[in-house]
Amino acid sequence: MKILIIGAGEVGFHIANRLSAENKNVVVVDKNPDALRRVTEYTDVQTVVGSGSSPAVLEEAGIKEAEIILAVTDSDETNLVACLTADILSPSTKKLARVRNADFDPYHEIFREKAPHIDTVINPEIEVVKTIERLISVSGAVEVEDLADGRLKLVGLRLDNSSVLNGQRLSEVSVKTGDSNFLVAAIVRNEKMIVPRGDSRLMANDLVYFISEKEKLANSLNLFGKPLKPVKRVMIVGGGRVGARLAMRLEKEDIKVKIIESNPDRCAQLAEKMTRAVVLHGDGSDQELLTEENIADMDVVASLTSDEQTNILISLLAKRLGAANTITKISKFTYIPLMATIGIEQIISSRLSAINSILQHIRKGRVLSAISLKGEQAEVIEAMALSTSELVGAPLRKISMPKGSLVVGVVRDQEIIVPSGETVIAPNDRVIIFAQRETVPKIEKLLSVKLEFF
């Protein structure tokens, strides 16, 4: 598979790095030689200096041999024109454009349906707002993802000393809890991700990823001693595009919202847009202001400014002042592994959201969804199995899955199955697989060669 990436920024760099590690043929195009130098230093890919919207540059980069072009620069216009130009030169190449401007929101479907030069439009800011909403819905969760069209939840929670799960072997959990549908997909211990076995023991301070039916989520959370609580008050620090999108969505859910924004002109714009949210002009890192605005009564404080150091400071301050939960926007991926050491775990990144959106379109076998976990340490892949699959027709305990992978969910018509070793996958089942990063290429090969898709 040859993939052409337009843009060597954070998103382009990390997609190139990810795909290069999976032995894909990747070419990165950017006008900035310094950005390309960083790419070549850390990844084994080809680079071309020039504008991704230039026909000559695209031809030099090999657009006619490319299976996919990903236009992920910081310029929406460049991305759209790059896809248009690529369609003229190579109509068969699949084209994905990263578009962030809210003005384009109503036209995403039109682009996909009526503009043949763009197969998919990805707005990472829309995706990151959805991520924040999922985190808000499960108090204290480090990660919350929807699978099987929202019928299944993948949740990552830190295990406390007080939990009934503390010290239990996974083979004993269903007996101790009476919940035969509780399935642990992964354990992160000392920043190392573990694919669990029946004899694996859960320990205090583990980050536990588990699968739960949406209707049974409250029961699963009770096992962790974290009851499902309604969110009534949210403070948003930073009234940029992400903050504004989030506030408008929360208003519709009848949640009381306060927005703190340092730019007075932006405050005036936000006040016109909002129907019920309170918009305050001020510095979100001002302790006196936060105290005056009753931060201790907030269910969630979301730090969404354009400066990640400020976001980290605000989240730490909010915790100290008594906020129940904090969500912190981070841009640099190198910061993500460090956050847990300072007590910040509910992290969102528009760039990581963009990568998740892009991955599902890159994976072979027309994968339905692909979700990166714990800063790309692992991936959850959702695919459809037909009769030709090696996964079909035998109990899972008899199927040789690649090391570092695990089938964590099966959806059959309207039935949701949390699998055991005796589960037999049938044709047309939707299969959800957890895989450590180094195992993903083997899973992808399995899905593209051994599985057929609708």
Side-chain angles (χ1 to χ4, degrees):
M1 177 185 284
K2 181 172 184 176
I3 300 173
L4 197 58
I5 300 174
I6 310 300
E10 285 289 314
V11 172
F13 170 79
H14 282 279
I15 294 174
N17 187 33
R18 181 79 166 265
L19 299 179
S20 172
E22 297 173 11
N23 297 317
K24 290 185 172 60
N25 181 6
V26 179
V27 182
V28 181
V29 177
D30 200 289
K31 293 187 292 185
N32 185 343
D34 292 333
L36 291 176
R37 194 172 300 113
R38 179 194 178 206
V39 171
T40 55
E41 284 177 359
Y42 291 94
T43 64
D44 182 21
V45 303
Q46 297 174 265
T47 59
V48 175
V49 179
S51 172
S53 59
S54 163
V57 171
L58 289 177
E59 287 194 328
E60 181 185 350
I63 183 62
K64 293 180 180 178
E65 294 80 42
E67 210 170 306
I68 299 173
I69 179 172
L70 308 173
V72 293
T73 75
D74 287 334
S75 167
D76 294 346
E77 290 76 12
T78 298
N79 296 337
L80 292 170
V81 173
C83 287
L84 173 60
T85 307
D87 187 65
I88 295 170
L89 299 174
S90 180
S92 62
T93 300
K94 187 176 182 179
K95 302 153 193 84
L96 286 79
R98 176 193 184 197
V99 177
R100 297 184 296 172
N101 193 323
D103 291 346
F104 288 105
D105 288 358
Y107 302 98
H108 287 190
E109 289 299 323
I110 295 174
F111 277 128
R112 283 189 281 263
E113 294 174 3
K114 298 185 179 180
H117 56 278
I118 302 177
D119 294 281
T120 303
V121 176
I122 295 167
N123 188 325
E125 292 173 359
I126 291 176
E127 297 305 317
V128 83
V129 168
K130 291 179 182 177
T131 300
I132 296 170
E133 287 185 297
R134 291 195 297 270
L135 284 173
I136 288 173
S137 70
V138 182
S139 178
V142 172
E143 198 141 10
V144 181
E145 300 291 348
D146 287 335
L147 296 167
D149 301 324
R151 287 180 286 167
L152 278 177
K153 294 283 187 181
L154 173 69
V155 180
L157 271 175
R158 188 69 66 180
L159 189 66
D160 297 332
N161 281 308
S162 58
S163 170
V164 296
L165 299 175
N166 185 21
Q168 299 297 322
R169 295 187 187 276
L170 293 183
S171 58
E172 303 167 345
V173 166
S174 60
V175 177
K176 294 284 186 182
T177 63
D179 188 351
S180 59
N181 287 323
F182 181 77
L183 186 142
V184 174
I187 302 168
V188 179
R189 183 176 296 156
N190 298 323
E191 293 304 308
K192 181 180 179 182
M193 185 162 280
I194 303 166
V195 179
R197 302 167 58 90
D199 59 355
S200 298
R201 193 182 294 276
L202 296 174
M203 305 297 290
N205 207 41
D206 283 351
L207 176 56
V208 181
Y209 285 93
F210 66 92
I211 300 288
S212 174
E213 293 182 51
K214 182 180 179 181
E215 289 75 16
K216 298 180 180 178
L217 181 59
N219 293 336
S220 299
L221 294 175
N222 285 333
L223 298 178
F224 288 83
K226 299 182 185 293
L228 198 59
K229 298 178 181 178
V231 172
K232 299 179 180 179
R233 302 176 189 84
V234 175
M235 178 180 286
I236 299 171
V237 182
R241 290 198 296 246
V242 172
R245 285 180 188 273
L246 177 62
M248 286 188 285
R249 290 178 70 104
L250 294 180
E251 280 187 332
K252 294 176 182 178
E253 297 174 21
D254 202 26
I255 293 173
K256 294 179 180 178
V257 180
K258 285 185 179 181
I259 306 172
I260 298 178
E261 168 58 42
S262 60
N263 185 318
D265 294 332
R266 181 60 176 168
C267 282
Q269 295 171 7
L270 290 169
E272 291 180 3
K273 286 183 178 181
M274 302 301 156
T275 55
R276 293 190 300 276
V278 177
V279 181
L280 304 166
H281 174 235
D283 179 0
S285 61
D286 183 341
Q287 181 172 337
E288 186 177 344
L289 174 61
L290 295 177
T291 303
E292 286 177 358
E293 295 305 324
N294 303 314
I295 192 169
D297 296 332
M298 295 295 162
D299 297 311
V300 178
V301 175
S303 304
L304 307 176
T305 77
S306 58
D307 183 88
E308 53 205 342
Q309 286 90 352
T310 300
N311 293 338
I312 293 168
L313 174 62
I314 292 168
S315 291
L316 291 173
L317 186 58
K319 280 178 173 289
R320 191 170 73 83
L321 294 175
N325 291 288
T326 63
I327 296 173
T328 312
K329 181 172 172 253
I330 299 291
S331 297
K332 292 182 182 177
F333 285 3
T334 52
Y335 283 15
I336 293 176
L338 305 175
M339 292 298 99
T341 62
I342 61 173
I344 295 177
E345 290 198 294
Q346 290 182 297
I347 297 166
I348 54 98
S349 165
S350 56
R351 288 166 177 167
L352 187 56
S353 293
I355 291 171
N356 281 340
S357 299
I358 289 165
L359 279 177
Q360 71 182 80
H361 298 286
I362 291 176
R363 292 283 171 240
K364 290 182 179 179
R366 298 178 186 173
V367 168
L368 304 177
S369 65
I371 301 165
S372 293
L373 298 180
K374 194 58 180 175
E376 301 184 284
Q377 282 191 37
E379 202 167 301
V380 174
I381 299 170
E382 186 178 350
M384 185 76 74
L386 293 186
S387 57
T388 52
S389 170
E390 289 184 354
L391 294 175
V392 169
L396 286 177
R397 61 181 171 79
K398 293 186 177 181
I399 294 173
S400 179
M401 293 291 293
K403 186 178 179 180
S405 66
L406 181 70
V407 177
V408 296
V410 179
V411 181
R412 182 175 299 154
D413 298 323
Q414 297 304 310
E415 182 186 6
I416 296 173
I417 303 168
V418 177
S420 67
E422 301 303 320
T423 300
V424 178
I425 295 173
N428 297 321
D429 282 353
R430 194 180 286 201
V431 184
I432 301 165
I433 301 172
F434 169 87
Q436 291 179 316
R437 179 174 177 173
E438 59 271 18
T439 305
V440 169
K442 294 178 183 178
I443 295 295
E444 185 179 21
K445 184 178 180 181
L446 176 70
L447 293 175
S448 61
V449 176
K450 299 299 183 182
L451 294 180
E452 293 181 2
F453 293 81
F454 64 100

